[in-house]
């Protein structure tokens, strides 16, 4: 159950960072007189954007499993493969579909004179967004293990942390 809570925390932190980034973008766009998407409570639960909350979640899972069960364990291998598939899907499947959906909706609007309803967009992630999720996931896992102490584990390469 502890690992599950760490994963939820990683997801939540990634989503909060996403809201902060979108709020800053909104403020900058408004100051420059550009059309801007308003940031609402719904933004906290949106898919896509920086950082990838899916990536943060699965990376924190893999990191906690590795720290708890060992990076040589079978369960770490399973969680690592799960994390890889999740990140691969976000980059190589959902991102191209997202771009195709945008193009389709633009064409449909021209052909149907804005009468047709837009196809729902599935958000994907770019490489920087995935890297951001990796950083959040590893940071949360290390913080929870080393600082909060969810496990009694010595991590030699980060002994400088309090």
């Amino acid at each position: 159950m502890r690992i599950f809570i760490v994963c939820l925390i990683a997801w939540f932190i990634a989503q909060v960072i996403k809201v902060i980034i979108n709020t800053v973008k909104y403020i900058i766009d408004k100051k420059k007189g550009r059309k801007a998407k308003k940031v609402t409570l719904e933004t906290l639960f949106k898919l896509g954007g920086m950082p990838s909350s899916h990536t943060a979640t699965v990376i924190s899972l893999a990191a906690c499993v590795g720290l708890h069960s060992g990076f040589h364990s079978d369960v770490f291998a399973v969680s690592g493969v799960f994390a890889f598939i999740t990140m691969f899907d976000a980059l190589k499947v959902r991102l191209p579909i997202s771009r195709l959906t945008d193009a389709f909706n633009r064409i449909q609007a021209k052909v149907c004179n804005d009468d047709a309803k837009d196809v729902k967009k599935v958000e994907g992630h770019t490489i920087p967004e995935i890297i951001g999720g990796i950083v959040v996931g590893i940071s949360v896992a290390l913080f929870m293990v080393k600082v909060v102490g969810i496990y009694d584990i010595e991590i030699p390469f980060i002994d400088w942390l309090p």
Side-chain angles (χ1 to χ4, degrees), residues 9-29:
I9 291 169
W11 171 84
F12 183 75
I13 289 172
Q15 289 297 105
V16 168
I17 292 170
K18 207 178 287 188
V19 169
I20 292 167
I21 289 171
N22 286 333
T23 302
V24 169
K25 283 181 182 178
Y26 176 80
I27 292 168
I28 291 170
D29 285 345

Side-chain angles (χ1 to χ4, degrees), residues 72-83:
H72 60 282
S73 67
D74 292 341
V75 71
F76 172 71
V78 171
S79 62
V81 168
F82 176 64

Side-chain angles (χ1 to χ4, degrees), residues 107-125:
I107 291 169
Q108 179 176 272
K110 286 181 182 178
V111 171
C112 299
N113 298 325
D114 294 324
D115 292 335
K117 189 175 179 182
D118 280 354
V119 173
K120 187 175 181 203
K121 185 176 175 180
V122 177
E123 294 285 343
H125 287 288

Side-chain angles (χ1 to χ4, degrees), residues 58-141:
V58 295
I59 289 295
S60 67
L61 170 68
C64 281
V65 166
L67 290 167
H68 182 256
S69 301
F71 291 98
H72 60 282
S73 67
D74 292 341
V75 71
F76 172 71
V78 171
S79 62
V81 168
F82 176 64
F84 175 78
I85 290 170
T86 302
M87 292 181 293
F88 183 84
D89 175 72
L91 180 66
K92 295 293 186 179
V93 178
R94 290 188 297 129
L95 183 61
I97 290 172
S98 172
R99 292 177 177 162
L100 284 171
T101 305
D102 284 340
F104 178 81
N105 286 335
R106 283 193 306 272
I107 291 169
Q108 179 176 272
K110 286 181 182 178
V111 171
C112 299
N113 298 325
D114 294 324
D115 292 335
K117 189 175 179 182
D118 280 354
V119 173
K120 187 175 181 203
K121 185 176 175 180
V122 177
E123 294 285 343
H125 287 288
T126 62
I127 290 174
E129 292 169 347
I130 290 172
I131 292 170
I134 290 170
V135 169
V136 170
I138 290 173
S139 300
V140 169

